[in-house]
Amino acid sequence: MKKMKLIHYIILAAVVVLASCGDFNENLDGFDKNAYKPTDVKKVEVELTDADYEKIASLMKDDDLKAKKFFVSGSYAAQCIPVWLKQKYPTADNGSSVTVTYRLLAPLMMGTTGTGNQSEKSEPKNVTNPFEKIAGEWKYNPSVVLTLPNEKGNVTSKSFYNRIIIWVNIKYDEPNGFGQFNPGGYLNTFADTEYFSGCSYYNNRVEWVAADAKSNTPSVYGGMTDEEVVATMQRNLITTFAVSLSEGFGNAEPVEGMNVTYTVNFVAHMEGNKLVPYTIQYLVTGKGEFTYVEGSLKPVR
């Protein structure tokens, strides 16, 4: 009988302990699961080493990557690097961002061939891209930083500005049509510069000299002060850069839970023959849709 009572007391005590433990776990002093704030939000920049490529190759079971130590495509890098980040930063909280520099196979333009065309040779080169942790998963952030060199003949700059000049001519200088110049319109007589926003594919820069804009387009700028002329062209540039981005990067798409941005760095020719570096940023809000980030148009100090 005593033995049965002892067993009964032991069982009762165990139930009480378990019940109190359950109550304790759900009512920790000072703990509010709804008010939890991430504490290990990483902001890191790394460049992959040979050892890192070998680790990634091991994780992906890719002997070719282990031997070559570069990625054969951007999409494959975007697939592999998050797997590596998950292992390298296991405690990283959502909102963490790691900017990774890695070697990517890319075509390099070589000399001209007998047909007059340029030949290509593929070689690995360093590229840098951000990866972010969202909802527990590392994801490639396809944001872009586009630099437009102020160099005559630079293909990247010329293409970007030329799209704008064509758009300005079609939208504002018709009905004469492209190449049929509208006296007093926004395009200059060489059709290589527009004074709606100041873009020039001849100089590969933005022309924000008020006197030049007044001389070219007096019907619009003749009654303005120099400051008003430049301010008007700067406002218009927000529109024209978005147009060029949309036409040149029409496949850009937003990513759920992530801000995908396009930052454009360019040079402006200002009063006093000054060349001033500028930057502007857009948020990708739809496929091929770019929305200006307020306050982002500014000189680079």
Side-chain angles (χ1 to χ4, degrees), residues 45-65:
E45 295 182 5
V46 297
E47 182 171 353
L48 296 187
T49 64
D50 286 352
D52 293 328
Y53 287 104
E54 291 174 4
K55 179 63 176 179
I56 295 171
S58 174
L59 292 170
M60 304 301 293
K61 297 180 172 55
D62 186 341
D63 292 336
D64 192 50
L65 176 61

Side-chain angles (χ1 to χ4, degrees), residues 151-190:
E151 302 167 357
K152 287 185 178 180
N154 182 276
V155 175
T156 300
S157 301
K158 186 173 183 177
S159 297
F160 189 90
Y161 292 129
N162 191 45
R163 290 193 292 266
I164 292 172
I165 290 169
I166 293 173
W167 180 83
V168 170
N169 185 78
I170 292 173
K171 187 170 180 65
Y172 294 104
D173 284 9
E174 283 189 339
N176 293 335
F178 189 72
Q180 304 299 315
F181 308 115
N182 178 13
Y186 285 111
L187 269 65
N188 67 355
T189 55
F190 298 103

Side-chain angles (χ1 to χ4, degrees), residues 189-225:
T189 55
F190 298 103
D192 58 20
T193 303
E194 54 80 19
Y195 286 97
F196 176 72
S197 62
C199 295
S200 170
Y201 78 69
Y202 175 72
N203 291 314
N204 277 339
R205 67 192 184 201
V206 174
E207 300 290 346
W208 281 340
V209 177
D212 294 342
K214 287 181 178 181
S215 174
N216 188 83
T217 317
S219 61
V220 176
Y221 299 120
M224 296 184 185
T225 65

Side-chain angles (χ1 to χ4, degrees), residues 6 26 52 96 115 162 200 221 235 257-258 282 292:
L6 179 60
E26 292 183 3
D52 293 328
S96 293
T115 61
N162 191 45
S200 170
Y221 299 120
R235 286 194 300 272
M258 182 183 297
Y282 295 83
Y292 173 63

Side-chain angles (χ1 to χ4, degrees), residues 24-230:
F24 176 77
N25 285 335
E26 292 183 3
N27 298 281
L28 288 172
D29 289 341
F31 177 75
D32 181 357
K33 63 182 180 181
N34 295 321
Y36 171 73
K37 294 182 179 179
T39 57
D40 190 12
V41 178
K42 298 186 181 298
K43 303 294 179 184
V44 184
E45 295 182 5
V46 297
E47 182 171 353
L48 296 187
T49 64
D50 286 352
D52 293 328
Y53 287 104
E54 291 174 4
K55 179 63 176 179
I56 295 171
S58 174
L59 292 170
M60 304 301 293
K61 297 180 172 55
D62 186 341
D63 292 336
D64 192 50
L65 176 61
K66 182 178 181 179
K68 293 180 176 177
K69 296 179 175 58
F70 61 79
F71 296 103
V72 295
S73 71
S75 59
Y76 188 53
Q79 176 186 347
C80 294
I81 292 175
V83 176
W84 173 73
L85 289 171
K86 184 176 181 179
Q87 278 225 345
K88 187 172 180 65
Y89 303 108
T91 63
D93 276 316
N94 290 332
S96 293
S97 176
V98 179
T99 301
V100 184
T101 298
Y102 53 92
R103 292 193 290 274
L104 177 68
L105 191 65
L108 299 176
M109 301 307 296
M110 307 299 287
T112 56
T113 64
T115 61
N117 297 321
Q118 284 188 311
S119 61
E120 290 186 358
K121 178 182 178 182
S122 294
E123 291 186 2
K125 68 173 185 177
N126 279 352
V127 297
T128 301
N129 283 307
F131 293 78
E132 297 182 10
K133 191 169 187 181
I134 300 170
E137 298 292 333
W138 286 99
K139 295 182 179 181
Y140 165 59
N141 185 333
S143 294
V144 170
V145 176
L146 178 63
T147 298
L148 305 177
N150 177 207
E151 302 167 357
K152 287 185 178 180
N154 182 276
V155 175
T156 300
S157 301
K158 186 173 183 177
S159 297
F160 189 90
Y161 292 129
N162 191 45
R163 290 193 292 266
I164 292 172
I165 290 169
I166 293 173
W167 180 83
V168 170
N169 185 78
I170 292 173
K171 187 170 180 65
Y172 294 104
D173 284 9
E174 283 189 339
N176 293 335
F178 189 72
Q180 304 299 315
F181 308 115
N182 178 13
Y186 285 111
L187 269 65
N188 67 355
T189 55
F190 298 103
D192 58 20
T193 303
E194 54 80 19
Y195 286 97
F196 176 72
S197 62
C199 295
S200 170
Y201 78 69
Y202 175 72
N203 291 314
N204 277 339
R205 67 192 184 201
V206 174
E207 300 290 346
W208 281 340
V209 177
D212 294 342
K214 287 181 178 181
S215 174
N216 188 83
T217 317
S219 61
V220 176
Y221 299 120
M224 296 184 185
T225 65
D226 288 357
E227 291 76 13
E228 289 171 337
V229 171
V230 174

